[in-house]
Amino acid sequence: MKISATIITYNEERNLPRAIESLRCCDEILIVDSGSTDRTVEIAEKFGARVIEANWRGYAGQKNYASEQAAFDWVLSIDADEALSEDLEGEIWQLKKNGVEYDAYTFPRLAQYLGKWILYSGWYPDRKIRLFDRRKSEWVGEYVHESVVSTGRIGELQGNLLHYTCGSLSEHLKTMDRYTTLAAEELVYRKKAVRYRHLLLDPAWTFFKTYVVQRGFLDGVEGLAIAYMASLYTFLKYAKARFMGWGR
């Protein structure tokens, strides 16, 4: 079993070394870059990755393109702000040694937010398919929240995929601005009507669900921040869609 690791990048010089260094179990590391203006490409090449420059196709489209360009049929796809834990790396080494029983594998994803590992707030275990046979799997999702869909059998690995999210609230707000715009565009594309209840009630429910139902209060002050940000995300998504002219 040989594995191609794929990472799509744009200005990821800060995160990329950590991601690449965690991929020792892979036989190839492929970086698909969409016009970085920092040292991303230089760093990738320094660490021995193969780099392809490609125009932006959207998140799912870019990741599918990366899978198509990989040297091997088994693909391990991670984002630049992610890394394999030692436990997960060990499990993948065992798969390479003993052979696979499934066509795709999910991992739990453990996120670090404002310097703290988040165990509640609906963020964990957040299982994702990230190791898959490209002949039976593909990325889907036109706007945001892209995911892998497999037509084969799906197994589970237990080691964590580590996700290094926002290190500050300012960074979170900047990221949220981009993603809420994409989410709003998706609402407009799907012609989903935006009513006042979406603007008034949905954000409040999102906060309650995140902080109380999903026990975000156990994540401390960081859990409170996550709940507030989730509520704001919900409001901005609907507000932007409405001001784009849909659902008035």
Side-chain angles (χ1 to χ4, degrees):
M1 180 190 184
K2 289 192 174 183
I3 299 173
S4 291
T6 62
I7 306 175
I8 64 170
T9 58
Y10 176 73
N11 289 347
E12 292 287 358
E13 65 178 8
R14 183 185 67 177
N15 290 314
L16 195 57
R18 178 181 58 220
I20 293 178
E21 287 177 339
S22 77
L23 296 171
R24 292 177 292 266
C25 57
C26 296
D27 302 279
E28 175 195 38
I29 298 174
L30 171 63
I31 306 297
V32 176
D33 187 75
S34 53
S36 290
T37 56
D38 64 2
R39 297 177 58 245
T40 294
V41 172
E42 176 188 342
I43 290 170
E45 292 174 342
K46 177 182 177 181
F47 278 85
R50 177 164 65 98
V51 179
I52 296 176
E53 297 281 352
N55 293 330
W56 183 246
R57 296 166 167 79
Y59 287 101
Q62 198 80 344
K63 291 181 179 182
N64 280 327
Y65 177 77
S67 295
E68 292 165 3
Q69 302 307 309
F72 307 111
D73 288 325
W74 274 93
V75 172
L76 173 60
S77 177
I78 69 170
D79 292 333
D81 62 355
E82 296 174 336
L84 306 186
S85 65
E86 291 185 4
D87 288 344
L88 180 55
E89 181 187 3
E91 287 184 273
I92 294 175
W93 277 115
Q94 287 300 310
L95 286 180
K96 290 169 66 71
K97 177 181 177 180
N98 301 326
V100 295
E101 299 179 9
Y102 299 93
D103 302 299
Y105 289 88
T106 67
F107 326 139
R109 188 166 66 157
L110 178 62
Q112 185 183 95
Y113 179 73
L114 303 182
K116 180 176 181 177
W117 295 109
I118 303 301
L119 299 175
Y120 302 96
S121 303
W123 280 26
Y124 188 78
D126 190 30
R127 279 192 167 270
K128 306 289 186 184
I129 296 176
R130 291 301 185 84
L131 178 62
F132 54 89
D133 184 335
R134 66 181 175 184
R135 295 167 295 188
K136 297 183 178 181
S137 304
E138 66 175 347
W139 288 92
V140 299
E142 292 296 322
Y143 291 89
V144 291
H145 307 307
E146 73 281 3
S147 60
V148 176
V149 172
S150 177
T151 59
R153 297 196 308 152
I154 301 173
E156 293 185 353
L157 299 181
Q158 304 308 315
N160 290 318
L161 177 64
L162 305 177
H163 185 198
Y164 296 87
T165 66
C166 307
S168 68
L169 291 176
S170 296
E171 183 182 350
H172 193 170
L173 287 168
K174 183 178 179 180
T175 301
M176 184 186 298
D177 184 45
R178 182 174 74 253
Y179 278 103
T180 51
T181 297
L182 292 171
E185 290 173 350
E186 183 174 17
L187 290 174
V188 173
Y189 173 78
R190 298 185 184 282
K191 297 184 178 180
K192 179 177 174 61
V194 178
R195 308 303 185 199
Y196 276 106
R197 63 179 176 85
H198 293 115
L199 297 168
L200 292 171
L201 301 180
D202 284 18
W205 164 245
T206 298
F207 178 87
F208 180 80
K209 180 181 69 174
T210 304
Y211 195 65
V212 179
V213 178
Q214 296 175 324
R215 298 187 291 172
F217 60 90
L218 294 176
D219 287 316
V221 176
E222 292 82 3
L224 182 62
I226 288 170
Y228 269 115
M229 288 296 199
S231 175
L232 179 59
Y233 179 99
T234 302
F235 174 80
L236 288 174
K237 173 181 69 175
Y238 287 121
K240 287 182 177 183
R242 189 172 177 85
F243 286 112
M244 285 176 185
W246 181 255
R248 293 190 179 186

